[in-house]
Amino acid sequence: MQSPRPDDGRPPSVPETNVGRLAATIERLRAEVREAQLAAEGRALIEVAKGILIERLRCSVADAAQQLAQLADQAGVTQLELAADIINQAAQDRISETARAFLAATQAEEPSREAADLSVRLRSAESGVLRAGDSQAVAESLLEHALTPLGASAVAIWEANPDASLTLAGYAGLSDEEARRWRYVPPGVETPARRALVNRQSVWLRSLSAAGLPSIGQREASGGRVTVPAGTGGQIFAVLEVAWPEPLPPQPPQIRKQIEALAELSAYTFDAPTRSGEPHHPQAVSELVALIDTLPDTALMLRPHLDDEGRLRDFRVQHANARFADPAGRPRHMVVGSLLLEAYPLAAGDGGLWDKIERVHATGEPFHADKLAMTALVDQVPLTSIASVSITRHRDSVLLVWRLHDEATQLASLLQHAQRLGRIGGFEENIVTGRIIWNSQLYALYGLEEGDPPIPLERLADHAHPDDAVAIGRFLRTVLHQRRPGSTAFRLRRSDGIARHIRVVAEPEFDADGRPFTIRGAYQDISSQHWTEVALAATRDQLAHTEQQAAERNRLTLQLQQAIMPPSQEPMEAFDLNIAVRYRPAEKEHLVGGDWYDAVVLPTKQILLSVGDVAGHGIEAATGMVVLRNALRGLAATGAGPGQLLSWLNLVAHYLTDQVTATAILGLYDPDTRVLRWARAGHLPPILIREGRVEELDLIGGVLLGALSDATYDEGRIELASDDILLMYTDGLIERRDRTLDHSQGQLLRMAGHPIANLEHRLDHLLTHSSSDTDDDTCIVGIQLR
């Protein structure tokens, strides 16, 4: 039961209950814990500052504490503030930023929990690192105080060696067996740590297994992986690698900065490069100078030039050997002692010499290029030279070696390149001494080792096909006896059994007295050219034979077509019907097609009129046309109607031919009734010209011949009147590649209406003014009733 609230001035928002009292107690205890944590961290900062004073002033612990108190009192600040300033001035690194953040948190009325946790972890890690004596203890301190709260399960500290290899210097959260397996990573092995070293930037991997990169602890912690390079003065000498057991989501900027600060801490136990101008490893420097002086090419020793904050700004030319060849033509004393970017300002371009030197200095990975453009200013004009360049790091110095390619060297390189591409080998044979010189390409052509004795020209026939002996003999007489330039081609038989087609060219050289003293020449492997010519000749023969066969085939096809359907035919009169036919074969002989026409009086006194078009060209289309045309004549003798005739003709096309398809139109004219019955199989309908009007007959149903095994065809009827004209034609009369069929049919109707009294002249007019452009066969059958 709730007791009455006394009127003691307490705010109404805090009820006097057991729950309220408990909440207030918990909040008070939390505040005390935070104050204790901040006080402990403050003491840690003060202890670090005392340690700095002991090292700087060479005093005892008590004297350092007294000195810190006096200085804080004189400056009017707290000992904590003064300790932060001392650490900032001494460290000059990312930890100083954390110290300032911690100081701001302690002075705030309600410090943020994240800032306090961050400062606690970093200060604890820093204290542990400062107490540690080696990288192993540093790794354990980092994992315990700073990385475990972030969810990390393992940490490794790699030392970057001068050759860009990595040595495991410390680890935590990993087994000793795993550490032994990864004690050393050779140069060139792609790992997350090496990627951070070579790229000189942090590498964040959400999942190590997904990235496909091997690394330490990959079986125990295959999740997130972060590698951060650490170093000073532009040189990387350590890489911190942190592992998580689960995939690592994207991290906020403060966490990334924290891990970068921890990477700087991880390098605490390594020797950092010294400031510019300070002596460092004098024995190593003298050994490097002695090495440079023995090199046959231009060699420079470069030392890093750092600013007041320890950042790399340039490299100073410390020493140059006697073979120094400056691209700008300057003497050695003008370059030694100067800064690299002052002596060669154009080296600072993207991807230029400066970038490569800086990379080698930072990572230790050597660089070599046979052809590198080096640009220098000569009288304020950029001059570019091609050089072979090598860059290596020796402790904190960089060795730069180059050899300028003069014009003769470049020409020799071009010649060697051309000889290799052209498979050309050169030789020189001294007539007086018998000494023979071959280049390496000629040894390769002969299939010999470069130490083997070369083959003189006189012994050329011993290594050639016997059938080439005559040609080689003429060549040798021309060069050795007649002393004139000569050439020949022969088949080389090598000792390894390979036969090559070779062309040899040689000419004698004469001394001042006009006497020959040497013969110079070249061999060229023309095997590819020879076999190409052989293949081309065979192809030409085959094409000629094929063309001859095609011409003969087309000739026979054309003869067959013309024998059945001559291009011109005399007009025909049957009863009161005038019949005219025009046939125009294809313009190109190889396009001989399968168009046909027919006009014949049947035993029933009816007149059969037909036009058809077999699909395709050539002998197959022509023979298919013959089969269908003759079959139609035979079927028409039965007296059946046009629809039935097309049904039977469809069976012939489908079953009795080799997959022939065709369109056709046929009509049966009865002279007694003047009625024309007609049917179509996929063909264009006839055109009727009556009293000056031109129109197509109504389209009736009927599929093309040969498409279906069973097909029926509709019939149409028209009673002709005097002077009526009916036209049946194939599509070769109107087909165009650039127009639709409807457009071409409309144009044909307009031309058909042209006033021409004679039926034959009308058909000639249609052929002459036809707009077809497909070079196809064309048939026209015209009938006119008198």
Side-chain angles (χ1 to χ4, degrees):
M1 182 173 119
Q2 181 177 350
S3 60
R5 179 177 62 85
D7 190 10
D8 54 3
R10 289 193 297 269
S13 60
V14 183
E16 187 65 27
T17 63
N18 293 334
V19 176
R21 293 190 185 95
L22 182 59
T25 302
I26 293 175
E27 184 61 30
R28 177 176 56 78
L29 292 176
R30 284 178 176 173
E32 291 177 357
V33 170
R34 287 197 297 269
E35 292 175 359
Q37 289 176 338
L38 293 176
E41 290 303 311
R43 287 194 298 272
L45 285 178
I46 292 174
E47 292 300 323
V48 172
K50 288 180 182 179
I52 295 173
L53 292 178
I54 292 173
E55 190 272 333
R56 296 289 175 84
L57 302 178
R58 306 296 182 183
C59 61
S60 63
V61 176
D63 292 338
Q66 183 180 0
Q67 186 71 23
L68 184 64
Q70 291 177 356
L71 292 175
D73 183 59
Q74 293 173 1
V77 296
T78 64
Q79 291 190 24
L80 183 58
E81 292 174 321
L82 181 60
D85 289 338
I86 293 174
I87 294 173
N88 291 345
Q89 296 176 4
Q92 292 296 335
D93 59 12
R94 303 302 294 269
I95 298 303
S96 62
E97 298 179 9
T98 306
R100 286 193 292 271
F102 168 73
L103 186 59
T106 58
Q107 292 175 343
E109 293 182 1
E110 293 182 1
S112 67
R113 184 65 183 173
E114 291 184 1
D117 291 344
L118 175 62
S119 62
V120 167
R121 289 197 297 269
L122 288 185
R123 295 278 64 81
S124 301
E126 180 185 12
S127 300
V129 168
L130 294 177
R131 291 192 303 269
D134 56 18
S135 297
Q136 179 62 33
V138 170
E140 295 172 355
S141 177
L142 291 179
L143 181 62
E144 178 184 358
H145 296 102
L147 295 174
T148 299
L150 297 179
S153 60
V155 63
I157 300 176
W158 302 93
E159 180 180 5
N161 301 318
D163 60 350
S165 62
L166 296 169
T167 302
L168 184 62
Y171 61 94
L174 301 166
S175 64
D176 293 340
E177 180 183 358
E178 183 72 3
R180 282 193 296 270
R181 283 198 296 264
W182 287 89
R183 180 62 61 187
Y184 176 76
V185 178
V189 177
E190 184 71 6
T191 64
R194 174 177 170 78
R195 181 174 293 183
L197 171 65
V198 173
N199 295 337
R200 293 176 288 169
Q201 61 182 6
S202 301
V203 175
W204 289 75
L205 301 177
R206 185 179 186 275
S207 173
L208 180 65
S209 57
L213 293 177
S215 188
I216 188 171
Q218 57 190 7
R219 292 179 295 182
E220 294 85 353
S222 60
R225 191 65 62 104
V226 178
T227 53
V228 184
T232 59
Q235 183 174 334
I236 300 172
F237 47 92
V239 177
L240 174 67
E241 183 167 359
V242 185
W244 278 262
E246 302 295 335
L248 184 65
Q251 297 298 304
Q254 58 267 29
I255 297 298
R256 291 176 175 266
K257 292 181 179 180
Q258 177 181 353
I259 293 182
E260 290 175 0
L262 294 177
E264 298 297 331
L265 279 176
S266 68
Y268 170 75
T269 57
F270 296 98
D271 291 334
T274 58
R275 301 271 178 151
S276 176
E278 296 181 6
H280 184 61
H281 303 290
Q283 182 179 356
V285 171
S286 61
E287 292 176 354
L288 182 58
V289 170
L291 172 63
I292 290 175
D293 290 337
T294 61
L295 295 177
D297 301 317
T298 296
L300 300 180
M301 184 178 73
L302 307 177
R303 292 290 304 281
H305 179 73
L306 312 180
D307 58 15
D308 295 336
E309 297 181 357
R311 292 189 293 265
L312 178 67
R313 292 303 182 190
D314 204 340
F315 290 91
R316 187 173 298 279
V317 181
Q318 193 75 15
H319 181 73
N321 62 359
R323 294 173 180 80
F324 174 75
D326 183 56
R330 292 169 294 188
R332 180 173 58 168
H333 69 271
M334 293 184 61
V335 177
V336 175
S338 62
L339 294 176
L340 183 65
L341 293 181
E342 293 178 357
Y344 305 100
L346 298 182
D350 292 340
L353 186 63
W354 165 264
D355 290 342
K356 294 173 175 55
I357 295 174
E358 183 186 27
R359 182 188 181 93
V360 171
H361 173 256
T363 65
E365 186 174 28
F367 171 82
H368 176 76
D370 290 330
K371 296 179 182 179
L372 183 70
M374 297 183 62
T375 305
L377 289 175
V378 181
D379 296 331
Q380 304 304 316
V381 177
L383 177 64
T384 301
S385 302
I386 304 299
S388 298
V389 178
S390 295
I391 308 173
T392 55
R393 190 180 76 184
H394 301 265
R395 291 185 180 269
D396 58 341
S397 298
V398 176
L399 175 60
L400 172 62
V401 181
W402 76 70
R403 175 187 296 174
L404 294 177
H405 292 185
D406 55 15
E407 185 175 356
T409 303
Q410 295 186 45
L411 289 176
S413 177
L414 289 175
L415 178 60
Q416 184 178 9
H417 188 63
Q419 289 178 343
R420 182 180 60 82
L421 291 178
R423 301 182 64 82
I424 299 174
F427 70 92
E428 179 178 293
E429 186 171 336
N430 193 298
I431 299 177
V432 180
T433 63
R435 184 171 180 264
I436 302 175
I437 301 175
W438 279 11
N439 65 1
S440 58
Q441 186 63 36
L442 186 52
Y443 279 102
L445 289 180
Y446 267 87
L448 301 176
E449 299 292 336
E450 294 196 16
D452 296 337
I455 300 169
L457 283 179
E458 291 184 345
R459 311 298 300 174
L460 188 60
D462 296 343
H463 300 270
H465 194 279
D467 294 345
D468 299 328
V470 176
I472 292 175
R474 285 197 297 264
F475 165 72
L476 294 178
R477 283 193 300 273
T478 300
V479 176
L480 300 179
H481 179 67
Q482 300 174 4
R483 309 301 188 188
R484 292 188 295 108
S487 66
T488 189
F490 66 97
R491 285 162 288 183
L492 175 66
R493 297 191 302 181
R494 303 190 340 178
S495 58
D496 55 7
I498 297 177
R500 310 296 297 178
H501 289 262
I502 302 293
R503 179 178 299 279
V504 58
V505 180
E507 64 177 356
E509 295 286 333
F510 301 90
D511 59 15
D513 298 329
R515 291 173 300 194
F517 71 94
T518 186
I519 296 175
R520 293 175 179 170
Y523 291 79
Q524 182 180 15
D525 188 346
I526 59 172
S527 300
S528 299
Q529 176 184 348
H530 170 78
W531 292 118
T532 300
E533 292 176 352
V534 171
L536 286 175
T539 302
R540 284 194 295 267
D541 294 342
Q542 185 176 3
L543 285 176
H545 180 66
T546 302
E547 291 175 356
Q548 183 179 0
Q549 286 183 325
E552 183 68 17
R553 181 185 180 93
N554 290 334
R555 186 181 63 81
L556 293 176
T557 304
L558 190 60
Q559 288 179 350
L560 174 64
Q561 187 183 56
Q562 292 177 352
I564 299 173
M565 294 189 309
S568 62
Q569 181 171 319
E570 295 298 326
M572 171 183 172
E573 292 187 2
F575 304 104
D576 56 352
L577 201 63
N578 185 22
I579 304 173
V581 176
R582 290 293 183 268
Y583 173 71
R584 182 178 64 190
E587 295 184 6
K588 298 180 181 179
E589 292 184 356
H590 68 277
L591 290 179
V592 174
D595 288 14
W596 89 79
Y597 64 88
D598 202 0
V600 63
V601 179
L602 300 176
T604 60
K605 305 304 181 182
Q606 291 183 323
I607 300 173
L608 172 66
L609 304 169
S610 66
V611 172
D613 184 3
V614 174
H617 298 89
I619 189 67
E620 292 82 5
T623 54
M625 173 267 293
V626 172
V627 170
L628 295 182
R629 184 173 181 269
N630 292 340
L632 181 59
R633 278 195 170 192
L635 293 171
T638 62
Q644 182 61 58
L645 291 177
L646 285 184
S647 296
W648 289 339
L649 195 62
N650 177 68
L651 294 175
V652 173
H654 189 79
Y655 290 106
L656 302 180
T657 62
D658 188 11
Q659 297 181 346
V660 168
T661 58
T663 64
I665 183 169
L666 64 88
L668 289 175
Y669 176 72
D670 188 347
D672 296 332
T673 63
R674 292 190 172 186
V675 173
L676 176 74
R677 293 184 298 160
W678 66 283
R680 58 177 288 273
H683 205 87
L684 298 172
I687 295 176
L688 175 65
I689 304 174
R690 173 176 289 175
E691 297 180 352
R693 297 191 308 273
V694 181
E695 60 182 358
E696 288 183 340
L697 299 185
D698 293 337
L699 192 66
I700 58 178
V703 299
L704 78 163
L705 302 174
L708 302 174
S709 61
D710 186 14
T712 59
Y713 296 88
D714 298 337
E715 288 187 7
R717 294 172 59 89
I718 182 171
E719 183 177 349
L720 298 180
S722 298
D723 294 329
D724 281 356
I725 297 175
L726 196 69
L727 302 176
M728 294 186 293
Y729 61 95
T730 59
D731 55 8
L733 182 65
I734 62 173
E735 276 187 332
R736 288 190 60 86
R737 297 182 178 91
D738 57 346
R739 300 291 173 85
T740 63
L741 189 61
D742 291 339
H743 181 274
S744 299
Q745 284 178 290
Q747 188 175 6
L748 176 63
L749 292 176
R750 289 190 294 271
M751 286 193 304
H754 193 75
I756 300 176
N758 187 291
L759 177 61
E760 293 183 70
H761 292 169
R762 185 181 295 274
L763 299 187
D764 292 335
H765 177 77
L766 291 177
L767 284 178
T768 301
H769 296 279
S770 169
S771 61
S772 173
D773 64 354
T774 59
D775 296 331
D776 202 358
D777 292 359
T778 301
C779 288
I780 308 177
V781 174
I783 61 174
Q784 184 176 19
L785 187 63
R786 293 194 298 270

